[in-house]
Amino acid sequence: MKQMEDKILAEGKVLSDQVLKVDSFLNHQIDPQLMKAIGMEFAERFKDAGITKILTIESSGIAPAVMAGLELNVPVVFARKRKSLTLVDDLLTAKVHSFTKNETNEISVSKKFINADDTVLMIDDFLANGQAVNGLMDIIEQAGATLAGVGIVIEKGFQQGGELLREKGIRIESLAIIESLENGEVKLKKEVPTK
Ligand code: G4P
């Protein structure tokens, strides 16, 4: 998605060979017009997939997920990383380890909001090692729902997540794929459509 790639090149800050900072439009301040375009792009790519629900994980997945939900006219559910005061029973849970932050969170979703009739589109801001996607897949499986595919705003192509998930036959649609962050420079990869 050209608009996304242009934004990364204009505003992304390379923090190291591994980490790209995009807090001016995705991880802290949010660019609503860009989110709207992102939502439209995901909706276009998954419009024939029979999506009934979008699943993401707090916090930075929520904005793109809501915009996609608006376009596809389906509800959006976000997995919580922390225990909620009101969300106490009938939970589906999974463990998600973050290599970046070196911490493990137990994520949870109420059984009420995902069930066996659902065809789920998963959306997240970053795909690195694929731990968040694996955790959400675990939850979808426990619910007996069907995973239609995964929409990712920025994939780090030099980390393993994308490759491992595609090898499993999962449809991954990334709006921008970073090939490398070496020498303080963002190198983008030409996206190969999965459909
Ligand atoms: P993984 O799920 O693909 O395995 O990713 P990983 O554990 O490496 O990432 C953990 C957190 O760091 C995730 O956010 C992920 O989105 C984010 N992240 C990973 N690589 C980058 C990067 O290069 N740049 C930025 N800006 N973020 C990165 P999170 O902890 O869930 O944070 P949030 O959603 O609450 O913002």
Side-chain angles (χ1 to χ4, degrees), residues 17-181:
D17 285 0
Q18 301 288 316
V19 179
L20 179 72
K21 185 168 168 139
V22 287
D23 64 350
S24 69
F25 60 92
L26 185 60
N27 290 142
H28 194 14
Q29 174 170 264
I30 292 172
D31 179 338
Q33 292 298 344
L34 180 66
M35 289 305 135
K36 190 175 172 191
I38 286 170
M40 288 168 74
E41 182 71 26
F42 283 139
E44 177 59 29
R45 294 187 191 201
F46 286 97
K47 67 175 191 285
D48 299 323
I51 307 298
T52 62
K53 202 146 280 189
I54 293 178
L55 179 64
T56 188
I57 183 164
E58 65 174 342
S59 55
S60 300
I62 296 175
V66 167
M67 297 318 276
L70 189 63
E71 286 299 319
L72 289 167
N73 199 24
V74 296
V76 177
V77 179
F78 65 91
R80 288 180 178 269
K81 288 180 190 158
R82 278 156 233 97
K83 291 265 173 291
S84 151
L85 197 66
T86 55
L87 189 71
V88 281
D89 34 45
D90 288 331
L91 294 179
L92 303 166
T93 63
K95 292 238 181 320
V96 172
H97 179 73
S98 165
F99 290 101
T100 315
K101 295 181 176 170
N102 194 25
E103 63 183 25
T104 300
N105 287 298
E106 188 173 67
I107 61 166
S108 52
V109 172
S110 168
K111 284 183 183 163
K112 249 192 322 205
F113 298 126
I114 299 202
N115 58 60
D117 299 333
D118 280 319
T119 299
V120 179
L121 168 60
M122 198 191 289
I123 288 192
D124 208 359
D125 57 337
F126 269 90
L127 174 60
N129 295 297
Q131 295 301 307
V133 172
N134 280 326
L136 292 174
M137 272 171 45
D138 190 347
I139 281 178
I140 290 169
E141 214 170 285
Q142 289 175 49
T146 304
L147 174 67
V150 181
I152 295 290
V153 180
I154 303 174
E155 176 177 342
K156 287 155 81 185
F158 55 89
Q159 290 183 250
Q160 274 192 318
E163 200 185 321
L164 293 176
L165 293 166
R166 288 183 182 96
E167 272 171 10
K168 285 192 202 166
I170 294 161
R171 181 178 171 197
I172 310 282
E173 294 283 346
S174 298
L175 303 187
I177 302 181
I178 297 171
E179 195 170 83
S180 141
L181 294 172

